[in-house]
Amino acid sequence: MRTCGQEDTPVETSILLLEALHIRFLKLLVKLKPSDFARSVTSPTHGTMTLEIAIQRFSLHAQHHIAQINSLRNTMGW
């Protein structure tokens, strides 16, 4: 079994954790009204933005990580 990071935690453990967090996030998002997406939120690193923009940024950030992982998979032959 492959491990991630410096500890002996299997990569699969981190994947399960991310899947669980995404499921909870989706359950929250589907309950929101369209007007909720125009509400302001504040990110400590990106400042104030609408919830819609924050979700877009989150999605792009996740896609970036997926691209990094796939690149590593190809490079390392996983």
Side-chain angles (χ1 to χ4, degrees):
M1 194 175 322
R2 295 186 309 263
T3 60
C4 60
Q6 307 244 335
E7 41 188 280
D8 291 332
T9 303
V11 170
E12 291 77 9
T13 301
S14 296
I15 292 170
L16 286 172
L17 178 60
L18 283 172
E19 287 175 346
L21 287 170
H22 286 176
I23 289 167
R24 289 193 68 175
F25 190 49
L26 181 60
K27 286 183 178 207
L28 168 72
L29 291 177
V30 298
K31 292 180 180 180
L32 296 176
K33 297 176 288 206
S35 60
D36 291 332
F37 292 94
R39 294 178 66 178
S40 291
V41 297
T42 303
S43 160
T45 54
H46 300 292
T48 302
M49 66 191 88
T50 64
L51 180 58
E52 179 179 13
I53 296 298
I55 292 166
Q56 289 173 7
R57 292 183 69 96
F58 176 82
S59 176
L60 289 171
H61 186 81
Q63 289 174 33
H64 177 72
H65 280 287
I66 291 167
Q68 288 177 316
I69 292 166
N70 285 330
S71 176
L72 272 174
R73 288 176 65 198
N74 291 335
T75 301
M76 303 301 285
W78 295 338

